[in-house]
Amino acid sequence: MGRMREPYLGDPAETIAVLNKYGFAIQKKYGQNFLIDRHVLDKIIRAADISGEDFVIEIGPGIGTMTQYLAVRARQVCAVEIDRELIPILEDTLAGYDNIDIINEDILKVDIGRLVDRYGQGRPAKIVANLPYYITTPIIMGLFENHAPINSMTMMVQKEVAQRMQAGPGTKDYGALSLAVQYYAEPYLAANVPPNCFLPRPKVGSAVVRLTCHNKKPVAVEDEAQMFRLIRASFNQRRKTLTNGLKNAAGLSFSKEQIEQTLTVCGFPASVRGEALTLADFARLSDAFTALLQS
Ligand code: SAM
């Protein structure tokens, strides 16, 4: 079967040959750093834990390097690429596989739910990507907040972003991203990846993380959107106390007295800072504000 063809991309010489064949000019604006290391590709594929039943959505296939590895293992792959110039290249490099659909779109505008309805055979999708770093957070948050039917995301991200995803209260990396990721998923660091594994080399270190979506959220909260407004407001002004951070914050209209009263009800001192609060604390705080609004 065509789909069983072994991947041939994944080293510098093959990548350069493909780029030269098409006279392709690498687009910085799209965060194009192509993977040229088979060990890293193997690590990503292993971390993604793909079986022959799986439907995989790849974000940003580039010239199709990782797509080849995904197609060998998955039942079906959809590769969503924004850069029109890469489409003829992908049609060439992926011609030997019969289980790949190439979609020329901006991932931020793709309705993942519809893709999963079409290809998922009733099961959630697995996302795998060497992400364009300029839109890492909007991509991840978009998938979570839209409740996209996905099982996991295995992604190359900037090393600092991987650290923020895993950080706990009281550390310098802890913030809104840590809380959002940990509310929706279990983060796992699969590998650190140096710049020389890419062409061109990025200026920053990278890491492969897998976010396995929770079947059941780790905390219960009445108004999820409000909890995240509180979280964002708390970390927007990191050096301020929570009381000052929450006053005048976008989307929140509590008076200083209401904030102080709610903090007291929850047992937090008036001088508490957001970075000291756990996810469970934010859920409790949000529920206390909800109760106040209803009283
Ligand atoms: N997967 C390839 C690899 O590992 O060699 C390429 C990874 S490169 C870091 C990121 C890819 O995402 C590029 O191909 C880029 O054109 C694409 N991309 C950038 N922004 C995108 C968007 N909004 N939607 C879909 N693809 C995008």
Side-chain angles (χ1 to χ4, degrees):
M1 236 171 30
R3 62 182 286 191
M4 297 315 291
R5 182 174 166 171
E6 279 305 305
Y8 62 89
L9 290 171
D11 65 38
E14 287 286 0
T15 301
I16 290 166
V18 170
L19 297 177
N20 287 344
K21 178 175 171 189
Y22 286 88
F24 180 77
I26 289 175
Q27 298 295 316
K28 257 196 179 160
K29 68 170 178 192
Y30 288 142
Q32 290 174 352
N33 299 93
F34 300 126
L35 264 171
I36 50 167
D37 187 303
R38 286 179 198 270
H39 296 297
V40 174
L41 286 155
D42 286 340
K43 279 186 190 165
I44 299 174
I45 300 294
R46 238 179 295 138
D49 190 23
I50 297 159
S51 79
E53 314 261 273
D54 284 327
F55 167 47
V56 173
I57 300 173
E58 186 189 6
I59 302 168
I63 63 165
T65 305
M66 194 157 68
T67 328
Q68 293 187 340
Y69 293 73
L70 292 169
V72 172
R73 282 159 189 84
R75 177 178 52 75
Q76 174 70 38
V77 179
C78 270
V80 181
E81 174 56 61
I82 196 170
D83 188 349
R84 192 157 38 98
E85 305 293 326
L86 285 168
I87 303 306
I89 302 182
L90 287 165
E91 282 166 357
D92 180 2
T93 58
L94 304 177
Y97 303 84
D98 60 7
N99 59 342
I100 304 174
D101 253 18
I102 302 161
I103 302 175
N104 184 201
E105 278 236 44
D106 178 348
I107 189 67
L108 296 175
K109 296 186 182 148
V110 172
D111 184 341
I112 301 290
R114 276 182 59 185
L115 272 190
V116 177
D117 279 349
R118 179 157 171 212
Y119 295 102
Q121 298 188 345
R123 301 173 60 210
K126 289 183 177 168
I127 304 271
V128 185
N130 171 15
L131 283 183
Y133 294 166
Y134 74 107
I135 44 168
T136 302
T137 307
I139 291 176
I140 296 173
M141 291 315 297
L143 290 166
F144 282 144
E145 284 170 0
N146 297 326
H147 299 106
I150 57 175
N151 169 294
S152 62
M153 309 183 201
T154 306
M155 301 168 304
M156 181 83 72
V157 297
Q158 219 172 302
K159 199 173 167 188
E160 287 69 24
V161 173
Q163 284 161 352
R164 278 161 50 204
M165 288 176 175
Q166 301 182 94
T171 62
K172 73 169 178 14
D173 292 326
Y174 186 59
L177 183 70
S178 327
L179 284 154
V181 162
Q182 293 164 29
Y183 177 70
Y184 289 107
E186 173 82 40
Y188 161 73
L189 177 73
N192 283 310
V193 182
N196 63 4
C197 297
F198 302 86
L199 182 94
R201 294 179 184 199
K203 290 199 179 71
V204 292
S206 301
V208 178
V209 285
R210 184 185 65 223
L211 308 181
T212 308
C213 301
H214 293 304
N215 291 324
K216 186 174 176 290
K217 302 279 187 289
V219 299
V221 61
E222 275 181 58
D223 185 344
E224 204 175 285
Q226 173 177 270
M227 178 175 76
F228 282 108
R229 283 197 296 275
L230 289 169
I231 288 173
R232 273 192 295 270
S234 312
F235 289 98
N236 261 349
Q237 296 164 310
R238 248 194 127 85
R239 277 165 302 166
K240 291 197 175 172
T241 62
L242 202 58
T243 315
N244 285 330
L246 298 185
K247 253 190 328 177
N248 317 317
L252 297 170
S253 49
F254 302 116
S255 67
K256 187 163 185 265
E257 291 67 37
Q258 285 176 317
I259 295 167
E260 282 171 352
Q261 185 193 333
T262 310
L263 289 177
T264 309
V265 166
C266 292
F268 302 128
S271 61
V272 74
R273 287 169 203 274
E275 63 202 22
L277 302 193
T278 63
L279 181 58
D281 289 336
F282 275 109
R284 206 148 50 88
L285 189 64
S286 178
D287 283 352
F289 276 117
T290 304
L292 181 79
L293 289 176
Q294 287 166 352
S295 66

